[in-house]
Amino acid sequence: RAFNIRGADKIPLKRILKELAEEGAIQKGRKAYHEAGTLPAVSVIDIIDQDTDGELLGRPQKWDSDAPPPRIYIAPGSGRGRRGIPAFGIGDRVLARLKLHAEGHYDARVIKRIGKGAQKLLGIYRHGPHKGEGRVQPVERKSRHEITIDNRFTMDAQPGDLVTVEVDGRPRHGLKEGRITEILGRIEDQRSVSLIAIHSHDIPVGFSDEEEAEAKAAQPVTDLGTRTDMRNIPFVTIDPADARDFDDAVHAAQDDDPNNPGGWIIHVAIADVAHYVRPDSALDQGARLKGNSCYFPDRVVPMLPEDLSNDLCSLRPLEDRPCMAVRMVFDKTGRKLRHKFMRGLMKSHARLTYQQAQNAINGDVDETAAPLLESVLQPLWEAYTALAHARDARHPLDLDLPEHKIELDDDGHITRIAFRERLDAHRLIEECMIQANVCAAETLEEAKIPFIYRVHESPAEDKLAALKDFLHSLNIKIPGGQVLKPQHFNDILHKVKDSDEEEMVNVVVLRTQSQAIYSTHNLGHFGLHLRRYAHFTSPIRRYADLTVHRALIRTQKLGDDGLTNTEIEKLDQTADMISTFERRAMAAERDSTDRYIASYLSERIGARFKGTISGVTRFGLFIRLDETGADGIVPMRSLDDDFYYHDEKRHALVGDRHGGQYLLGQHVDVKLLEAAPISGGLRFDMVTAPSYPAKPHSGAKKHRAKSSKKQKHKRRSR
């Protein structure tokens, strides 16, 4: 039409177009040709992500080039609210009109939604039953059906390979079809366990070329400039033995002020990540979209590239490092009198592990700790005694729940699963960090600038009601008609200390608590019993801390790289994002641990274990093994000695005929029937017989009465 060509004259035109396509000058789309390397004006795109400003991002449904596909922005408001176009979001496939910008990206205006886009999942590849196809078994428990893979799209995967698959979202009968997009490794390799968790929870891995370039271009700070010189203060870092980045250092000394007899001055120095990660830089955008580092038994998925996290931002011993620091003055009872934030240059005098520091205080001093014992470590412990006194007077929530640690050999196999020992060295560092975080929140509140708090709300009313019902069954009263404080929960925990109910009550009290989140609104921190609290002490691994550093830099006039107005406008969105990313990381870490332990126990099918009932539901009992901390299930259907019903208030399964019961926190013996390393699931058979109360619980009587009425009704009906 453009050239007014008709009839037989179209034949040479088609030949010219074909030759241009073969030369790579143009490309053929579904119904038209377009310039090579560009997309047709009207294209099918999959909405795959959302950027830091909340804009939806897309990619072409078909992209055959080796080059990365162009970035497509969905125009704000595009298609939404228009008649005939339903709302769309990540995972949808849409037909859109595209406009190319000089920068190389596209704006897309949605014409219509045409279904779901390609879904990505993780699975194990194997040969299919028919020639010319393979199959992928998804690793997620909720994905039960295999995916068919045409041999053209297998990427030469071999049976047993762990692969990512792009599943066609179009509705069809039978098994869904897909194409393999990446081969991650062999499923028998123990390190695949963490890969499954990482990909299943969409944990961002790696860094863009721009992030890597910015990290490599960063230089050590050698010029003191306006910074406070703190290199003469003998700071030390105290961390786990396997720590690779050190973002906090501490020092304590007696206060020589005659007006503060017996008082202490404590310095907490934190890596100055804000110096290297500037607002709206590639590093900043990448860190914001990760939210935090993720920790697995065999690896770390860091928030920042290793050039920063393990080098320039890490407070390595005997190296000058830029820092954000707070100087805190306490009286002899641990009450804080005043504090001041500084931007300085410091030098760690030693890197100690928790066990090293604790051993030195206990009299077992090694060559690293020996020169520091009297001048550094003993003053730290004496200062901690004062802080601990103030902490005990504050009455934070004092739950005693054991933690397990998975230890691996060089090949990624579990060598043992041990309890994490809680030392005074842990509590010392923890209390110093808490005090520094409180100082950050107080300073920023006083400056009247928006910032991100770490908040922990008091328990919800419905959870408190359930807790009261449960404690009533144990003849434990909980105060009514008043605002509950952590001390009230501590009193309950103290009553059951060293009793058979101790672990059960600890678990129920923990489940009553709300989940801590990030927010720009100060809701207090219930667990720590603090009116205001912010995360300041771990900017290498948490984005929230980086925003707090920038807010302090801005309000305390410590540099020109503080929190920007644009960042302030997005703080609410940032708080919501990093709260979500934190939950995502926790779920991935938990799944990885479950799969590792299931793999570890898969060779012990049929063995008996001691455990504790950690959950009671209408479909069975959850058991936590004493030896490993692993969780598995005893299905309700396997309890065949009686008909059991779920007593929700008492957290118990109660037998209808004989009145036997299984209670939350009850110690039991179980036999391992199944261990599924791919899904992380464990299934047990109950060995321990139910316990029998001195007299049947009233709930059992009511339930039996209901059952009796039902049976009579059935007999009359017959």
Side-chain angles (χ1 to χ4, degrees), residues 299-505:
R299 74 188 72 208
V300 176
V301 179
M303 185 180 77
L304 297 172
E306 289 193 3
D307 288 316
L308 295 181
S309 61
N310 291 358
D311 187 4
L312 294 181
C313 291
S314 186
L315 307 182
R316 302 198 299 199
L318 306 180
E319 295 185 26
D320 290 357
R321 287 290 183 261
C323 67
M324 290 284 292
V326 58
R327 179 183 187 271
M328 301 175 287
V329 181
F330 297 89
D331 67 14
K332 63 182 179 181
T333 66
R335 182 173 62 93
K336 183 166 67 69
L337 303 178
R338 57 190 175 274
H339 69 267
K340 178 184 178 182
F341 281 94
M342 300 165 282
R343 206 171 190 183
L345 195 63
M346 57 82 67
K347 180 187 291 185
S348 169
H349 283 226
R351 176 267 200 270
L352 299 174
T353 68
Y354 287 116
Q355 194 66 60
Q356 265 183 303
Q358 189 68 56
N359 288 347
I361 291 297
N362 294 343
D364 181 11
V365 189
D366 65 14
E367 59 182 13
T368 304
L372 305 167
L373 180 60
E374 292 186 10
S375 60
V376 177
L377 293 179
Q378 287 179 351
L380 269 173
W381 251 258
E382 291 172 25
Y384 166 65
T385 301
L387 295 183
H389 183 274
R391 180 200 63 205
D392 293 343
R394 194 175 76 237
H395 294 290
L397 192 61
D398 188 21
L399 285 166
D400 184 19
L401 297 170
E403 283 187 67
H404 288 80
K405 179 184 178 182
I406 296 176
E407 296 181 2
L408 307 175
D409 61 19
D410 293 339
D411 296 323
H413 294 92
I414 295 178
T415 55
R416 72 178 187 131
I417 300 172
F419 283 101
R420 290 184 187 271
E421 188 180 3
R422 279 282 286 172
L423 306 170
D424 279 345
H426 291 98
R427 298 183 180 94
L428 182 155
I429 295 299
E430 185 179 277
E431 197 60 33
C432 288
M433 298 306 113
I434 288 172
Q435 293 300 328
N437 289 337
V438 170
C439 291
E442 289 177 350
T443 297
L444 294 177
E445 264 197 6
E446 186 178 344
K448 294 182 171 53
I449 184 175
F451 67 98
I452 294 177
Y453 292 89
R454 179 64 166 178
V455 301
H456 181 220
E457 294 186 80
S458 56
E461 289 296 328
D462 58 334
K463 289 187 176 181
L464 282 176
L467 176 65
K468 288 179 181 178
D469 289 338
F470 167 68
L471 294 175
H472 177 71
S473 71
L474 300 177
N475 295 317
I476 298 174
K477 291 185 178 181
I478 189 170
Q482 60 178 295
V483 176
L484 287 180
K485 298 179 180 178
Q487 183 177 355
H488 294 121
F489 290 100
N490 291 341
D491 291 341
I492 294 167
L493 298 174
H494 180 71
K495 288 180 181 178
V496 297
K497 186 75 173 173
D498 298 325
S499 71
D500 292 340
E501 291 83 18
E502 179 181 7
E503 189 166 350
M504 171 172 55
V505 173

Side-chain angles (χ1 to χ4, degrees), residues 582-615:
E582 180 186 47
R583 290 192 292 272
R584 175 182 68 184
M586 291 169 63
E589 291 165 7
R590 185 170 58 247
D591 282 1
S592 175
T593 299
D594 289 346
R595 289 185 170 99
Y596 259 112
I597 294 177
S599 176
Y600 178 62
L601 295 177
S602 61
E603 299 177 358
R604 301 176 67 182
I605 302 298
R608 291 192 176 192
F609 297 90
K610 293 190 177 297
T612 305
I613 297 177
S614 60

Side-chain angles (χ1 to χ4, degrees), residues 38 99 150 154 218 228 292 308 355 419 458 496 519 666 708:
T38 66
K99 179 182 178 182
D150 188 288
T154 64
T228 302
N292 48 255
L308 295 181
Q355 194 66 60
F419 283 101
S458 56
V496 297
S519 174
Q666 182 177 339
S708 177

